[in-house]
Amino acid sequence: MDYGDKLFWLSVLIQRRYAQIGAEYDLTSLQATLLCAVKDEPRQMAYLAASLGMTKNALSQLVDRTERRHLVSRASSEQDRRVIMLSVTPTGKVLAEAVFAEAVFAETTKRLPDVAENLDADDQRDLERLATAIVDAAGVSASTSS
C-alpha cells in the first residue's frame, strides 16, 4: 500500500468514527458538519458550499433536509437580498451546543485516538502535530470567517 492509499484509509477510518457518533444523535455526518459550521454565526450558502466542497444544489438538498428538522433556517442577507444566509435555529443551537459541541466533539477526540492506538506516544504526538498543521494550512478550522 502506498502513501496515498494509507491516507485514503486513514480518512475512511476517521469518517467512519464521525458517522457513528453523529448517528447516535440522529444526525448524518453532513448534517453534523453543517450545524457545526453555523452554530456560532450565520454563513452565506455560497461560502458553505465552497467550504464543505459541495455543489450549491447538493448543499440546498442538505439544508432542505436539515431545515425540515427545524435545525437551520435560511434568510436573505440584510445587505444584499440575493445572498442567502443560513442560521442555526434555537432547536439546532441546543443540539449543536449540548450534543455536538460538548458530546460529539468530546466523544470524537476520545474515540479517534484509537485509530492510532498502535503508535507509541511520540508518534501519536507527531500525528496530532501534523494533523493540526494540515488543518490550519487548509484554513478549514471552525473559526474560519465567512
Side-chain angles (χ1 to χ4, degrees):
M1 208 183 317
D2 70 10
Y3 180 66
D5 290 334
K6 291 174 186 174
L7 287 177
F8 169 78
W9 287 111
L10 176 60
S11 172
V12 168
L13 288 171
I14 292 169
Q15 288 303 316
R16 187 182 305 151
R17 297 288 192 286
Y18 188 65
Q20 289 168 345
I21 294 164
E24 290 173 14
Y25 300 100
D26 197 27
L27 295 170
T28 66
S29 296
L30 286 174
Q31 286 173 324
T33 301
L34 182 65
L35 280 179
C36 177
V38 298
K39 75 178 181 65
D40 294 324
E41 64 183 289
R43 304 281 184 172
Q44 291 182 13
M45 291 281 287
Y47 166 82
L48 289 168
S51 296
L52 299 175
M54 301 176 76
T55 65
K56 290 179 184 179
N57 185 45
L59 177 63
S60 289
Q61 290 175 7
L62 172 63
V63 170
D64 288 345
R65 291 188 304 274
T66 310
E67 197 171 34
R68 281 193 294 272
R69 293 188 57 194
H70 307 288
L71 301 176
V72 295
S73 64
R74 287 180 260 216
S76 295
S77 168
E78 292 178 10
Q79 292 80 22
D80 184 345
R81 291 180 28 209
R82 297 170 296 178
V83 174
I84 304 298
M85 301 296 291
L86 188 70
S87 301
V88 69
T89 64
T91 302
K93 181 79 169 174
V94 168
L95 183 61
E97 298 269 331
V99 175
F100 203 73
E102 294 174 27
V104 175
F105 282 140
E107 232 7 73
T108 299
T109 58
K110 279 192 255 176
R111 291 188 196 184
L112 284 182
D114 71 339
V115 170
E117 67 188 355
N118 293 327
L119 300 176
D120 65 33
D122 288 339
D123 287 343
Q124 288 182 14
R125 281 190 295 279
D126 287 344
L127 178 59
E128 180 181 3
R129 181 183 55 76
L130 291 170
T132 300
I134 291 166
V135 168
D136 289 349
V140 293
S141 68
S143 63
T144 302
S145 66
S146 60

